[in-house]
Amino acid sequence: RNVGINVMYLLLLGLVGVLTLSTPNPLNCIFRVNCDTPNSLACGAIPIVDEVSVGGIGECFLGPQVKPWQNHSRSLVPDVWLPSKDSKCLPPSQTLAAIPLDHPLISTGKGFSVTESCVGPNNCFSEDFKWMLAALLLLQTFLHHFFMKFVLLGPVARIIRTWHQRGLFERAQGGATSFSAICPPKGDDRSCDLKDLERGAKDPEAKPLHSGFAKDPVL
């Protein structure tokens, strides 16, 4: 019933859908999801984001495809080679000649065809993977709402509360000092049976039978 929360929830679901199903773009690269090298560099131009980010925004994308370039560059550079914006995220020229940017090891996902729109090291999603991930996210969302509706806020919770209150009733009948808030205090002429307890489980607003009792309610 809270309109603001519902609107924000739908917007967040929409954002997850865009990140999952879109082609690589600067927005995706802010979240480092479904991103490639050119768009990783381009997202640094988005206002404010670069200033509040701890790193990675507007930098080279360190996807797993960097490894073949590193392996080939071992004999060419004294230290481990890492992509840099100064070199447009490209390796030394000898390595680039042997493993060019459009090589299947680099721009398509370690030899697996992902999508033609990805360039350079990336974590781009294939079309099949996008729809599979979207289906799993929708299933998770449905199960979350089902659990909240029918378990935490539904009949399962009512049954558990009834069991709990029935246990309190049985202990009270045995002489314990703890009573349900809907039962009269010990010594009162009125009786308290399981129907009273069930009434309290079904109606959380049920008033106690004795106004001087219920100093420590069950729920």
Side-chain angles (χ1 to χ4, degrees), residues 167-215:
L168 291 177
F169 169 76
E170 292 172 351
R171 289 198 298 272
Q173 293 294 81
T177 57
S178 176
F179 290 83
S180 168
I182 63 170
C183 293
K186 192 174 182 179
D188 196 298
D189 293 336
R190 292 167 297 174
S191 63
C192 176
D193 55 24
L194 290 179
K195 291 183 179 179
D196 293 316
L197 295 175
E198 292 170 356
R199 179 172 60 86
K202 293 179 181 178
D203 183 11
E205 303 296 327
K207 296 181 180 179
L209 298 178
H210 191 279
S211 59
F213 194 61
K215 291 186 177 178

Side-chain angles (χ1 to χ4, degrees), residues 97-130:
I99 309 176
L101 184 63
D102 59 355
H103 193 281
L105 286 174
I106 305 301
S107 288
T108 57
K110 299 186 71 175
F112 296 95
S113 179
V114 178
T115 173
E116 296 179 357
S117 60
C118 271
V119 177
N122 64 82
N123 66 351
C124 297
F125 298 163
S126 67
E127 291 300 318
D128 291 342
F129 181 79
K130 287 178 183 179

Side-chain angles (χ1 to χ4, degrees), residues 4 6 9-10 14 35 44 46 60 64 105 130 136 138 149 155 163 173 179 189 213 216:
N6 287 327
Y9 178 67
L10 292 175
C35 174
I46 299 176
C60 299
L105 286 174
K130 287 178 183 179
L136 290 174
L138 287 174
K149 178 71 174 179
W163 287 347
Q173 293 294 81
F179 290 83
D189 293 336
F213 194 61
D216 76 339

Side-chain angles (χ1 to χ4, degrees), residues 75-90:
S75 61
L76 303 176
V77 293
D79 299 317
V80 176
W81 173 82
L82 288 174
S84 169
K85 286 199 304 183
D86 297 334
S87 61
K88 298 181 180 179
C89 305
L90 297 175

